[in-house]
């Protein structure tokens, strides 16, 4: 097998949460281009159908599952639906997430809880459901953030705490499931990629961040998707428990 073959996801089944917009769309498309069938999960099913068209356009099957990831039963249903349709789940990409910026003295308990509930708890519910059925050789890729590692000028206690939590979750599931189940668990810490999430940051915020970007520009979602495919594939067979920053060098400044 050539080194390039190791990056392929031929006939694997990849579950992508948050596949209705932004990065999740790029991850689903890349997984399909790499040869996988894809389970697409989020709350907006009309938008999931648009992503499904991209997957089918790449010659692979798509299954859309309406999912609010904060509900453990719906996370379980997402994995069950994938098993029923395809008979296997090889990869889980925990991508569903929300970003907020609220000063700590004004943030309400509900605001804080909601961010943690989606970004951190939702990732755990999905991983628990997937971990029960995944076979050796499977992989989980958690989408954390540079905000789990550093700060970026906005008041983001909830977001930063949730993403640091995702990095801790990654480490622990990797050690629980490595030799016992043969499941690798890694995280990606993206820098700045223009999506609906970053569109809420106003007043030239992204422009102001550019001096911290060693590569001098924002990221393009397919550049992140390439790392998802790598971590999901046998090319990363000896990589687990890691958080890979794909951030144009932001975390070294
Ligand atoms: N863009 C960046 O620069 C950047 C940087 C670092 C990390 N990230 C991370 O990348 C991930 C994707 O973000 P994005 O930039 O692509 O933002 P986005 O376009 O706003 O996408 C967020 C996705 O999460 C889904 N989602 C939100 N709440 C959900 C819930 N309760 N249940 C199920 N799905 C839910 C949304 O779908 P529905 O609304 O249809 O449910 C949507 O598909 C997030 O985890 C984010 O923290 C992004």
């Amino acid at each position: 097998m050539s080194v390039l073959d190791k990056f392929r996801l031929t006939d694997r089944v990849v579950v992508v949460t948050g596949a209705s917009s932004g990065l999740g769309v790029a991850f689903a498309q890349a997984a399909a281009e790499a040869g996988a069938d894809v389970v697409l999960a989020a709350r907006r099913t009309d938008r999931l159908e648009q992503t499904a068209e991209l997957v089918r356009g790449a010659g692979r099957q798509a299954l859309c599952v309406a999912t609010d990831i904060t509900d453990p039963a719906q996370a379980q249903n997402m994995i069950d639906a994938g098993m029923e349709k395809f008979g296997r789940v090889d990869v889980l990409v925990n991508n569903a997430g929300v970003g907020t910026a609220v000063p700590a003295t004004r943030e309400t308990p509900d605001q804080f809880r909601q961010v943690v509930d989606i970004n951190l708890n939702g990732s755990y519910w999905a991983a628990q459901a997937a971990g029960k059925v995944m076979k050796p050789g499977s992989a989980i890729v958690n989408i954390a953030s540079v905000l789990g590692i550093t700060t970026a000028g906005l008041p983001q206690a909830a977001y930063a705490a949730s993403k640091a939590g995702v990095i801790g979750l990654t480490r622990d599931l990797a050690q629980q499931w490595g030799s016992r189940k043969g499941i690798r668990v890694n995280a990606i810490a993206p820098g700045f990629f223009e999506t609906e999430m970053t569109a809420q940051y106003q007043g030239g915020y992204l422009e102001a961040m550019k001096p911290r970007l060693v590569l001098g520009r924002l990221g393009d979602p397919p550049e992140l998707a390439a790392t998802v495919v790598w971590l999901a594939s046998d090319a990363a067979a000896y990589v687990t428990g890691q958080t890979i920053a794909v951030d144009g060098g932001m975390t070294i400044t």
Side-chain angles (χ1 to χ4, degrees):
M1 185 190 275
S2 80
V3 69
L4 280 181
D5 287 332
K6 291 188 179 167
F7 286 85
R8 296 189 202 287
L9 300 174
T10 310
D11 296 335
R12 309 259 171 111
V13 175
V14 175
V15 177
V16 180
T17 71
S20 59
S21 66
L23 300 176
V25 177
F27 299 158
Q29 185 172 2
E33 286 170 2
D37 296 322
V38 191
V39 178
L40 307 163
R43 295 165 302 181
R44 289 171 294 174
T45 46
D46 53 328
R47 296 282 296 266
L48 287 181
E49 283 301 335
Q50 293 174 20
T51 310
E53 282 308 309
L54 295 174
V55 170
R56 291 181 196 120
R60 301 303 310 189
Q61 296 185 68
L63 174 69
C64 301
V65 187
T67 308
D68 182 338
I69 208 67
T70 62
D71 177 359
Q74 292 189 43
Q76 182 67 54
N77 176 64
M78 168 184 80
I79 299 298
D80 290 347
M83 288 298 289
E84 194 170 319
K85 166 103 177 149
F86 298 115
R88 56 193 284 176
V89 167
D90 302 285
V91 176
L92 167 67
V93 183
N94 263 325
N95 165 72
V98 289
T100 55
V102 186
T105 47
R106 278 184 247 150
E107 189 159 45
T108 66
D110 279 347
Q111 283 175 316
F112 186 88
R113 284 194 192 105
Q114 194 205 16
V115 174
V116 174
D117 221 16
I118 297 170
N119 296 3
L120 175 59
N121 300 352
S123 297
Y124 191 37
W125 312 144
Q128 284 184 310
K132 288 179 207 155
V133 295
M134 282 177 153
K135 297 273 189 279
S138 300
I140 296 176
V141 181
N142 294 322
I143 305 305
S145 169
V146 287
L147 266 297
I149 301 169
T150 184
T151 59
L154 290 175
Q156 294 193 287
Y159 188 71
S162 72
K163 293 300 188 178
V166 166
I167 292 170
L169 185 72
T170 300
R171 229 177 8 241
D172 199 79
L173 292 181
Q175 67 94 21
Q176 287 192 49
W177 292 347
S179 60
R180 202 163 69 81
K181 282 176 169 285
I183 302 172
R184 295 180 299 100
V185 187
N186 290 290
I188 298 177
F192 293 107
F193 294 78
E194 267 180 285
T195 63
E196 289 176 23
M197 181 179 289
T198 54
Q200 69 182 321
Y201 302 139
Q202 290 154 2
Y205 170 74
L206 288 179
E207 204 53 38
M209 279 296 117
K210 275 195 182 160
R212 285 185 65 185
L213 304 178
V214 171
L215 295 182
R217 62 173 177 85
L218 302 178
D220 191 21
E223 294 176 309
L224 200 53
T227 305
V228 170
V229 170
W230 167 57
L231 287 173
S233 75
D234 293 345
Y238 202 53
V239 181
T240 197
Q242 303 305 306
T243 297
I244 313 285
V246 180
D247 64 352
M250 180 186 165
T251 42
I252 64 163
T253 59

